[in-house]
Amino acid sequence: MRNKLGSILIQLHFNPESKLNLLMAAKSQPLSTKSFLTIEESDTLCSSEASVIPTEIESAHLGQPKGYLTGEAHIERAWSHWKKLGCPRLVVAPMVDNSELPFRLLCRKYGAQAAYTPMLHSRIFSENQKYRSEEFTTCKEDRPLFVQFCANDPDILLEAARRVEPYCDYVDINFGCPQRIARRGNYGAFLMDNLPLVRSLVEQLSKNLNVPVSCKIRIFPDLQDTINYAKMLEDAGCSLLAVHGRTREEKDGKKFRANWDAIRAVRNAVRIPVLANGNIRHVDDAWQCIKETGVEGILSAESLLENPALFGGYRTAEWVHENEENTEEGELDQGDLLVEYLKLCEKYPVPWRMVRSHVHKMLGDWFRLHPNVRDDLNSQYKLSFEFLYDIVNRLRELGVHMPLKLSGNGSPVETVASC
C-alpha cells in the first residue's frame, strides 16, 4: 500500500538481548513517571492522517554492535563519525515538548545543521507504544539527529535506545536537566551526585549500540571537577560531549551567563568532539562562541523558540543594537514562521500541547501588543489549524508589523570552515 506521508512514527518492537551486570558503587532509584505529562484528549495528534514507516531509510543498524573501543580506537571512531555527518556546527538543542519534528524541520530550513529530539523518558518509551508513537517522530530529511533520553537504569536505557538506533546518528543521555522534575525522577543533572551510575549508563550504551553515544552535561562549580567529569565520560565511551556552561543551580539563563571559559577548558581536556550550550541569542553569538571556546559547534534552545530562523542570520528586535552595522530589515516575521510551522504540523502530526506552546513562543511579542488575542487562544480548549491561522490573520489586521532583522555578516559557510 502506497504511503500517504513521508513521516516516520517510530514503533519498533525489539526484544533486548542478555543484560550486562552493573558495576557501580550506589543503587539507583526507579525513574519517576509522575512528573511527565499524561496523554489526555487535549494532547491527541494535531492531524487525523496516519503516519507510516517508509520503506527507504538510511539505517545505522547493521547487525551486531561494532564492539566496545577504548583509547585511540574510540577517539578515531568518534571523529570519523562526526566528519561523516559533515561536522554540523549549528544545532537545535533538546527541549521538552519543543524540539519535535515539525520544529526541527523548520529550524533546518533556516540553517540548523543538526538537531536533538525532546528529552524522552526511557522507561515510558520502553513500555508504552502510544508514548513512543506520539512523542518521537522523524523523517528522512531529519538528519543528523540526536535522540535524547533521561535514565537512571542502564538496562532500561539500552532497551529504549535500541528502539531508535536505526533512525538516528547519536543516542544522547541527558545529564543536564536541572529542574525539580529531574530531582524527583533521579535523572538529568542530579546524577552528578552519582558518578558511578553515570559511567554505567554510558558504558552500557557504548558497548551495545551501533550508533555512538553522546552526553549533555552541566558544569560543576569547581572547574577541575568539571574536567574530571568530562574525561570520565570520554573514557566510558562517550563520542560527543555537549557542555552547558552553567551549573545545576544556575537555572535562569537570563540571570546567569554561561561560562564559556569552562567550556573551553573542557574542550582542551578531552579528545572527542565538543558542543557548547549557552548565551546564543543570534548567529553571531554562535560564531563568537566557536571562536572563543574552540568547540566543534553550538546548541541553541530558548532563542530558537522565539526565532526559528536564528541560524539563518535573522534576529528579533531585542538583539539588534541601534548603532549596529550590517543589519537590515528582512522580509520575514514571526507570523510567517508560525504559518510555516503549522503547515509542517499538518504534514507531520504532533500533540496539540506542543503546537500551542510554539504559538505562544513565536507570537509572544505580538501578543504583548494585543493581549486580547492571546486570551482568545488561552480560552480555546480544542485547537484547530483554521483557528490558529486565523490568529495570525487577526494580528496582521490589527496592524502588527514586526519584521525580523537580517544580519549581513555572511553565511555559516563563509564565516567558519567546515570539516
Side-chain angles (χ1 to χ4, degrees), residues 6-306:
S7 65
I8 305 166
L9 284 179
I10 306 304
Q11 302 176 35
L12 304 177
H13 301 282
F14 187 90
N15 293 321
E17 299 173 353
S18 58
K19 301 176 179 179
L20 298 176
N21 293 325
L22 302 183
L23 298 176
M24 57 181 156
K27 293 182 179 179
S28 64
Q29 65 188 61
L31 189 61
S32 171
T33 62
K34 293 181 180 179
S35 303
F36 276 71
L37 291 171
T38 56
I39 300 174
E40 301 174 351
E41 183 179 358
S42 61
D43 294 329
T44 54
L45 297 181
C46 62
S47 171
S48 60
E49 296 188 56
S51 296
V52 294
I53 299 177
T55 56
E56 296 182 7
I57 182 168
E58 294 182 9
S59 174
H61 191 68
L62 303 176
Q64 296 299 316
K66 297 176 182 177
Y68 181 56
L69 299 181
T70 59
E72 293 296 331
H74 166 57
I75 302 302
E76 182 179 345
R77 179 182 289 178
W79 280 103
S80 175
H81 185 75
W82 181 246
K83 292 177 180 179
K84 179 182 176 182
L85 298 177
C87 303
R89 292 187 178 273
L90 305 175
V91 183
V92 180
M95 294 172 278
V96 173
D97 278 353
N98 282 144
S99 58
E100 81 290 352
L101 176 60
F103 186 75
R104 295 195 301 267
L105 292 178
L106 180 61
C107 292
R108 289 180 191 274
K109 176 182 177 180
Y110 290 99
Q113 298 164 345
Y116 285 71
T117 67
M119 181 187 73
L120 301 169
H121 188 292
S122 59
R123 186 183 298 279
I124 302 177
F125 195 87
S126 299
E127 298 174 350
N128 190 312
Q129 189 275 333
K130 185 176 183 180
Y131 178 84
R132 291 195 297 271
S133 66
E134 293 194 358
E135 302 301 315
F136 175 43
T137 58
T138 188
C139 65
K140 189 175 181 180
E141 295 75 26
D142 188 32
R143 305 293 283 268
L145 180 65
F146 296 71
V147 177
Q148 186 184 78
F149 289 104
C150 65
N152 62 21
D153 184 305
D155 292 335
I156 291 175
L157 175 60
L158 177 59
E159 182 178 353
R162 279 173 158 163
R163 293 181 182 273
V164 303
E165 181 180 13
Y167 304 97
C168 66
D169 301 286
Y170 290 92
V171 172
D172 186 80
I173 309 175
N174 183 324
F175 294 127
C177 181
Q179 305 301 329
R180 281 179 292 179
I181 178 178
R183 181 190 293 275
R184 292 195 298 268
N186 188 36
Y187 62 81
F190 296 93
L191 295 184
M192 295 167 74
D193 298 329
N194 189 349
L195 296 186
L197 175 56
V198 168
R199 184 181 186 99
S200 70
L201 290 166
V202 178
E203 287 182 339
Q204 181 77 314
L205 295 193
S206 64
K207 290 178 180 179
N208 291 282
L209 295 181
N210 288 292
V211 296
V213 181
S214 61
C215 301
K216 189 170 186 294
I217 66 171
R218 284 191 170 234
I219 61 175
F220 283 92
D222 181 80
L223 179 59
Q224 191 57 51
D225 288 342
T226 302
I227 291 173
N228 293 342
Y229 184 31
K231 287 183 174 181
M232 180 272 286
L233 291 169
E234 179 182 66
D235 185 63
C238 177
S239 293
L240 180 142
L241 191 60
V243 184
H244 190 147
R246 297 182 177 93
T247 68
R248 188 171 65 191
E249 290 68 36
E250 295 172 335
K251 301 176 185 178
D252 189 341
K254 294 183 178 180
K255 182 178 179 181
F256 300 101
R257 293 283 293 170
N259 187 341
W260 285 1
D261 290 338
I263 296 175
R264 183 175 64 247
V266 171
R267 180 70 208 86
N268 292 336
V270 300
R271 301 167 64 196
I272 57 176
V274 174
L275 304 179
N277 187 193
N279 303 348
I280 307 300
R281 304 160 301 177
H282 45 73
V283 76
D284 291 339
D285 283 340
W287 306 132
Q288 188 65 29
C289 180
I290 290 172
K291 179 180 179 181
E292 290 188 18
T293 64
V295 295
E296 279 58 58
I298 59 89
L299 307 181
S300 182
E302 290 295 325
S303 296
L304 272 179
L305 292 178
E306 297 179 7

Side-chain angles (χ1 to χ4, degrees), residues 13 85 166 325 346 394:
H13 301 282
L85 298 177
E325 300 179 356
E346 290 190 82
R394 285 176 59 191

